[in-house]
Amino acid sequence: MLNKTVLAVVIASTLGLTACGSDDDDNKVSQVNVDLRIIETSDLHANIMDFNYYSGKEDATIGLARTASVISEARSESANVVLVDNGDLLQGSPMGDYIASVGMSDTHPAYKAMNTLDYVVGNIGNHEFNYGLEFLEKAIAGANFPYINSNVICAKKEGCWNEVEFADNMFTPYIITDKVVLDSNGDEHTIKIGYIGFVPPQILTWDKANLDGEVEVLGITQAARKFIPMMKAEGADVIIAIPHSGIGSTENPGDPWAENATYALTNVEGINAIMFGHSHSVFPAAGYADLPNTDVEKGLLNGIPAVMPGRWGDNLGIVDLKLRKEDGKWNVYHEESQTESRPVYDTANKVELVEGEQSIRDAVVLEHEGTLEFVGQPIGVAAADMYSFLTLVQDDPTVQIVSDAQIAKVAQVIQNGTNEDLKKLPVLSASAPFKAGGRYAEGDASQFVMVEKGELTYSNAADLYLYPNTMVAVQATGAELKDWLECSANQFNQIDPTSTAPQNLINRAGHPTYNFDVIDGLTYKIDVTEPTRFDNSCTEVDADANRIVDLTYTDADGKEFTGAELAEKEFVVASNNYRAFGGSFAGTGSDHVVLELPDSNREALAEYITSESQPDGAGGYNSAVDPSADYNWDFKTITTNVVLDVRFETQDSELADTFVAENQQRVMVKLAKDDATVAGFAIYSIDLTTAPVAK
């Protein structure tokens, strides 16, 4: 942060622009130096307020209301600042769901807030498509800044919205704006800044119901190589790429259809800075120090300044570029540039770093009140607590209740339908934990499901099922389901049964928890002494590895199916649109889809809770939904002659301690707090050498 003296100089220079000089003076000097600051929000996911709608409390760690204070701070430190947003803005919090459910009679609350902050451009994220193109069109019409995207193409012969013709870009692929800047002497210049946006091509899979037949996509690097030369030809002095895409492969960044392609973009000539997102992580950060040709001190990926500001407004991305005008041309000195991701909250010391902007809160006060009413609607009663503290190490009530709801919904639709072949097949469910301590290596100890027994509201259903996915079912064989589970089992590191050294059980850095599917209706064990057969994208890495053992299906008559008989048996698996159409996991993909329901998984969950609670017609309930886990999966017990030290992390709280003590299937012991590697987490040991306790 600048001191008052330096800040006064910046302000004085700004106020005296017309007296200081102009581009006409450039020929009098051989070199002009300009500092350009680009700041970024990304993955806000409709978290405008600094408020947790699941707990019903103010939350100092999230929200654009808090980020706005950091934006003001960052602007005060530099004379030349531009602000961009990188998408995933409209969906992801109860406020986003509330607006989607009641419709927009006015400007979307995200833009009511953002329009006060002087954004220069916004990029389209993949979750912008979750509520359909009509909703998206109406929403972004309320933005007082342009939107860009270079790789989504109109696929309708009769044309698309805003008179976009067939085969043309659905959005403006890039913009070039004139930016008046001050040089180091306080003189004024005009530079042309180009902005280009991208979204993962996987939107066609993830939102097939909304986009099928409406759009096609280009690969991210494919679009970059098409449009960036055009931007240079049109005179862009600086080109800023805004990919809604994570870092991706550094060893083989050539896949044009990669979901995460930021590193690949560093190989596209002409890009001067990359403001990225999508992965909900923070860059630069020490965890990326081992990536090839990556400087986490300066924030350079393959020599290009880059930043990724976390999620939900918890960080502001900042890139400070060094520009020099030499012989009439602006050059960007990447190696002299600097990036940072500046937080709103000190997680390690639990200290608020900013107070937040009341103007942002005031802008969305009506929508905030409406959201509170929306999430407070009662839907039923639960007979037991639902916490996800153990969801990565044993079968879990927060995943169980989702599976129960999905099976109930799909079975009901099949039985009420006319497809006699489907009626003959068993219905299973694939569900994964969405809130298991945060995504990827950094972790977030607040990110666990914590739903108490007793009356449940819609906010509880939204907490249990975080995303507005829609219900989709696939038909798969037992052999395919085994490989599906083998990919899920990449969630675990390989344990050496001969080692006495501490070993971490969870592969947090290499496998997102939303890809740890539990298939309910089957029973099985996971042998973590075996190497993994698949990586986190289900690409086979060891064909001889077999972690899934004792895989069994038991039918209603008690007959058990195992081995070759199970491998050939057909099943219907209830899941969501992301998984079912994804095609990565065995047994998924459009050729496997047999049911597409209009219901969201969250709606099916709320409906199930209500039906199991049996309303009495007088505002009460005759019974309660039972979310108890059926413990259909476990680890294979390890036989060894040494004392193993296998560990996992979960929340460090009295609530978690109590839950672990009362619900552990295997013996788990909390270790010294000093062993924890991330603030807010506790380290537990888990005994994989003795049989689990019967539940």
Side-chain angles (χ1 to χ4, degrees), residues 343-553:
V344 304
Y345 187 83
D346 182 346
T347 303
N349 298 302
K350 299 183 179 180
V351 174
E352 297 182 24
L353 300 179
V354 293
E355 293 183 358
E357 298 291 330
Q358 190 59 40
S359 59
I360 299 295
R361 302 180 186 111
D362 292 342
V364 298
V365 63
L366 293 179
E367 291 83 359
H368 174 59
E369 292 173 352
T371 304
L372 289 173
E373 183 177 351
F374 173 69
V375 301
Q377 302 172 51
I379 58 173
V381 177
D385 295 329
M386 290 173 280
Y387 303 137
S388 63
F389 301 130
L390 295 176
T391 191
L392 298 182
V393 294
Q394 67 181 43
D395 202 16
D396 166 82
T398 68
V399 175
Q400 185 71 56
I401 193 171
V402 171
S403 285
D404 292 344
Q406 290 182 171
I407 289 173
K409 186 66 178 181
V410 168
Q412 177 190 51
V413 171
I414 289 175
Q415 292 308 311
N416 291 340
T418 58
N419 189 323
E420 298 302 320
D421 291 332
L422 288 185
K423 291 181 181 181
K424 299 174 184 176
L425 301 182
V427 178
L428 312 178
S429 170
S431 302
F434 296 138
K435 296 178 71 174
R439 289 169 65 170
Y440 305 111
E442 303 90 67
D444 181 347
S446 69
Q447 291 306 299
F448 289 93
V449 178
M450 291 175 278
V451 176
E452 296 181 0
K453 64 182 178 182
E455 185 174 75
L456 302 179
T457 65
Y458 184 80
S459 67
N460 299 135
D463 198 12
L464 287 161
Y465 202 101
L466 202 57
Y467 303 105
N469 300 337
T470 54
M471 292 279 301
V472 180
V474 296
Q475 185 172 334
T477 65
E480 289 169 327
L481 295 184
K482 182 180 184 298
D483 276 351
W484 187 331
L485 290 169
E486 289 283 0
C487 182
S488 294
N490 182 60
Q491 182 70 71
F492 305 106
N493 294 317
Q494 185 177 7
I495 300 300
D496 181 354
T498 68
S499 173
T500 60
Q503 300 183 70
N504 292 320
L505 178 61
I506 309 301
N507 179 18
R508 186 173 291 279
H511 196 93
T513 63
Y514 57 73
N515 276 348
F516 175 49
D517 281 1
V518 172
I519 298 185
D520 237 292
L522 301 176
T523 59
Y524 54 96
K525 290 183 173 62
I526 302 172
D527 185 354
V528 291
T529 66
E530 280 278 305
T532 186
R533 185 168 185 172
F534 298 96
D535 65 13
N536 64 4
S537 62
C538 297
T539 299
E540 191 171 68
V541 294
D542 188 342
D544 295 326
N546 285 286
R547 287 186 155 187
I548 303 301
V549 297
D550 298 339
L551 183 64
T552 305
Y553 169 71

